[in-house]
Amino acid sequence: MIALIDSARIDLERNPKVMSISDLARAAGVSRATIYRYYPDVVSYLKSVSGKVEDVRVKGQQVKNSLLKAQLSKQKDLVKALARACSELIVEVAELKATYSDQLEAKELKIKYLENSLREMGVAKPRLVK
C-alpha cells in the first residue's frame, strides 16, 4: 500500500486534476480491480489527498501572484522614475537649444551690425580665411 500511496502522491503532485484509479493502477503496475479489491481505502485516501494537493497548489499560486505583483509594482516605480528623469532631460535640452539659438541670433546680429558699420565707413567686407 505504501508503494500505491507514493505513486498516487507523485502523480497528484504532477497533475492533481488528472488523477484516477486507472492512473494509479498504471503507475503501480497493477489492475484497477486489484486496487478496488485489496486497497479500497486508497480510493477515499486519493480523494482526501487530491483536495490537499489542490489547496497547496492554490496557495503556491497565490504566493507566486503576490511576488509577481510586488515585482510589477517595483517595475512601475522604476518606469515612473525613468519617465520623470527623461522629462527633466527633455526640458533641459529644450532650454539649452533655446539658449544656443538666442546666442547664435545675437552673434548674427552683431555681425550684421559690424558689416553695416564697415560699409558706412567705406571699408570693403573682409574675407574670411579658412
Side-chain angles (χ1 to χ4, degrees):
M1 181 161 162
I2 292 175
L4 279 171
I5 292 171
D6 285 342
S7 295
R9 183 182 52 78
I10 290 168
D11 285 348
L12 281 171
E13 287 173 355
R14 286 187 192 143
N15 194 351
K17 294 186 180 198
V18 181
M19 178 53 112
S20 67
I21 295 299
S22 297
D23 295 332
L24 178 61
R26 195 176 309 110
V30 297
S31 70
R32 286 179 32 198
T34 302
I35 291 177
Y36 283 114
R37 180 181 300 162
Y38 295 106
Y39 305 105
D41 54 332
V42 169
V43 176
S44 60
Y45 175 77
L46 285 178
K47 289 179 182 175
S48 71
V49 169
S50 179
K52 290 176 185 174
V53 169
E54 184 66 21
D55 289 344
V56 168
R57 191 182 68 75
V58 168
K59 287 180 183 176
Q61 189 63 37
Q62 289 171 344
V63 168
K64 184 177 178 181
N65 288 344
S66 176
L67 291 172
L68 287 173
K69 284 180 183 179
Q71 186 178 18
L72 180 62
S73 177
K74 288 179 183 179
Q75 289 176 349
K76 284 181 181 179
D77 292 342
L78 179 61
V79 168
K80 286 178 187 176
L82 288 172
R84 196 172 24 255
C86 287
S87 294
E88 291 170 0
L89 288 172
I90 289 171
V91 168
E92 188 176 337
V93 167
E95 289 172 351
L96 288 171
K97 186 177 178 182
T99 301
Y100 173 76
S101 294
D102 291 345
Q103 290 175 353
L104 183 62
E105 185 180 347
K107 288 182 180 184
E108 288 173 353
L109 288 173
K110 285 180 185 178
I111 290 171
K112 285 182 183 180
Y113 172 77
L114 291 172
E115 287 175 346
N116 285 337
S117 296
L118 287 173
R119 195 174 324 117
E120 288 175 1
M121 292 199 271
V123 177
K125 184 176 178 181
R127 294 183 190 175
L128 295 176
V129 178
K130 292 183 183 179

